[in-house]
Amino acid sequence: MELQTEQKLKEILELLRQGNPFEAQKILENLFESVLDCPQIILTNRYNVFWIDSVNRLKRIEDFIERSECTLAEWKTFQEHFFYAEDVYEPALQAVQHGFFSNALEFFKKHEDEKDSYQKAEIYRKIGICYKKLGDYENARTYLTEANRIYPNLGSVLAELADCYSLCGEDKIGKVLFREAFFVSPDDVDMDFLDSEIIKCLVKITDEKGYSGKTAQYWIPVYGVLTGIFNVKKELSSQEVAKLKKDIYALENENKDPSCNRELLVPRLLNCYFWLLDYYALAKENNSKISEILLKIKILDSSIYESYIK
C-alpha cells in the first residue's frame, strides 16, 4: 500500500471511530479514483456503505421505541454480514463498532428521563450495551445495575450485567447472574451482545450438542451446571422456593400433554430441578427429598442424570 493511501486510510478509520461515516465516504470515493485493487479499502468501503444505509433507514423511523429496537437490530445484521465473513479487515470493523455504538449511546442518553419503569430499564440496558461495546465496563455496569433496580429480574438485563462482571474479571458474580438470567427468562436473553468467555464456552458446548437458536438458550443453564461453569449456588428465600415448586408442578403437568413442546420444556424442567437440588443441599434437607428429584431427572432424561451424578 502506498504511503499516501495508507495515510488516507488512517484518516478514514479515525472518522469511522468518531461516528462520521458520511465524511469517511467522501474520502473513500476520492480514493477509488486512483486505488482500485486495495483489499483494505474495498472492505472498509463495504462496511461503510452498509452503515450509511443503516443510518438512513433509522432516520426514517419517528417512534423512539421502534427506532431504539431497530438500532440494535441494525448492528446484529452488520455483525452477521461482516464479522464472520471469509475476508475481514479488523481495524475497520473495530472502528465502525466504536463509531456505531458512540452514536447509539448519544441517541439513547437523550431519553434517560423516560417515566415508564419498564421502558426506562430498557433504555438503561441499551445504554449499558453501548458502553460495554465501547469497552467502558464500569459505566456499563452502573447503568445495567440501575436498570435492574428500576425493573428487577429481567432476563435481558441480568444477562448483560453478568457479562459485564465477567468481562471485569469478576466471574463469581457473573456466574450467579448468568444462571439467574437463564432461569428467569431464557427467551429474553439477547446472545448477540454477550462477549464474555463464560458465555462463549457455553454456546460452544450447546452447539456441539446439536442445539441452536432459542432451544440452545434453554439448554445453556443445564450444561452450565453439568460442566461446573455455573458452580456458584444462590440461597433462595422461602417465597422463591415456593414459586420454584409451583413452576415445577406446572411444568410436570404440561409434560404429560402429548402435544407439549418438549424441546423447550425438558431443559426448562431440568433447570428447575437443578435449582431445587441446590436449595436442598444448602438447606441440608434429608436425602429422601434429594433422591426424589434425582429420580425425576433420571426419568426425564437419563443421559443428563448420568452426567449430573458423575
Side-chain angles (χ1 to χ4, degrees), residues 83-121:
F83 271 72
Y84 311 112
E86 190 173 329
D87 297 317
V88 298
Y89 180 43
E90 192 67 29
L93 284 179
Q94 293 307 315
V96 171
Q97 175 169 306
H98 192 278
F100 182 94
F101 283 102
S102 294
N103 289 352
L105 177 62
E106 188 179 335
F107 168 67
F108 290 131
K109 281 180 75 70
K110 289 176 182 175
H111 298 270
E112 282 188 76
D113 58 351
E114 170 67 46
K115 302 303 179 190
D116 179 82
S117 58
Y118 174 78
Q119 288 302 332
K120 190 178 183 72

Side-chain angles (χ1 to χ4, degrees), residues 28 31 92 98 117 142 151 153 172 180 187 193-194 198 215 217 219 254 268 282 305:
L28 278 164
L31 265 181
H98 192 278
S117 58
T142 297
Y151 203 101
N153 297 320
K172 186 174 181 180
E180 193 161 350
D187 276 329
F193 295 103
L194 302 179
I198 287 175
T215 303
Q217 291 180 213
W219 282 101
E254 190 179 343
R268 184 71 170 153
L282 288 169
Y305 168 79

Side-chain angles (χ1 to χ4, degrees), residues 110-298:
K110 289 176 182 175
H111 298 270
E112 282 188 76
D113 58 351
E114 170 67 46
K115 302 303 179 190
D116 179 82
S117 58
Y118 174 78
Q119 288 302 332
K120 190 178 183 72
E122 273 293 288
I123 291 165
Y124 274 51
R125 177 180 73 90
K126 288 164 186 167
I127 290 173
I129 288 172
C130 291
Y131 274 125
K132 183 157 68 81
K133 286 295 185 180
L134 292 169
D136 186 346
Y137 301 135
E138 289 305 317
N139 263 321
R141 194 161 62 179
T142 297
Y143 273 90
L144 291 164
T145 300
E146 184 63 10
N148 190 47
R149 188 197 66 77
I150 294 166
Y151 203 101
N153 297 320
L154 288 173
S156 55
V157 172
L158 289 170
E160 290 295 341
L161 191 53
D163 204 44
C164 260
Y165 273 104
S166 294
L167 289 166
C168 290
E170 298 184 55
D171 278 340
K172 186 174 181 180
I173 300 173
K175 288 176 180 181
V176 171
L177 290 170
F178 266 132
R179 192 177 181 197
E180 193 161 350
F182 282 102
F183 177 73
V184 169
S185 182
D187 276 329
D188 293 336
V189 176
D190 195 336
M191 304 297 293
D192 291 294
F193 295 103
L194 302 179
D195 300 315
S196 61
E197 287 306 313
I198 287 175
I199 211 67
K200 286 179 181 177
C201 180
L202 286 170
V203 167
K204 184 180 179 184
I205 290 167
T206 52
D207 184 58
E208 288 170 352
K209 295 291 182 180
Y211 300 112
S212 60
K214 287 294 180 185
T215 303
Q217 291 180 213
Y218 278 77
W219 282 101
I220 277 176
V222 174
Y223 285 103
V225 171
L226 295 180
T227 57
I229 293 173
F230 287 171
N231 58 356
V232 183
K233 296 176 175 60
K234 176 193 169 187
E235 290 192 24
L236 301 177
S237 67
S238 56
Q239 291 91 343
E240 287 173 321
V241 174
K243 184 180 185 308
L244 177 59
K245 290 180 176 179
K246 185 178 177 182
D247 289 345
I248 289 172
Y249 179 76
L251 288 167
E252 287 175 340
N253 281 333
E254 190 179 343
N255 192 40
K256 295 173 186 176
D257 184 350
S259 65
C260 73
N261 184 1
R262 295 193 85 249
E263 191 177 55
L264 301 183
L265 192 148
V266 168
R268 184 71 170 153
L269 189 48
L270 287 168
N271 193 23
C272 286
Y273 286 150
F274 289 164
W275 275 76
L276 191 56
L277 284 170
D278 283 355
Y279 167 71
Y280 285 156
L282 288 169
K284 294 182 170 54
E285 289 283 353
N286 61 62
N287 287 334
S288 63
K289 288 187 176 182
I290 293 172
S291 297
E292 180 188 349
I293 300 301
L294 288 173
L295 179 59
K296 288 183 176 186
I297 292 173
K298 188 174 184 179

Side-chain angles (χ1 to χ4, degrees), residues 1-2 5 31-32 34-43:
M1 191 188 302
E2 290 183 4
T5 303
L31 265 181
F32 274 123
S34 55
V35 182
L36 297 174
D37 58 352
C38 176
Q40 295 95 326
I41 299 295
I42 291 168
L43 288 170

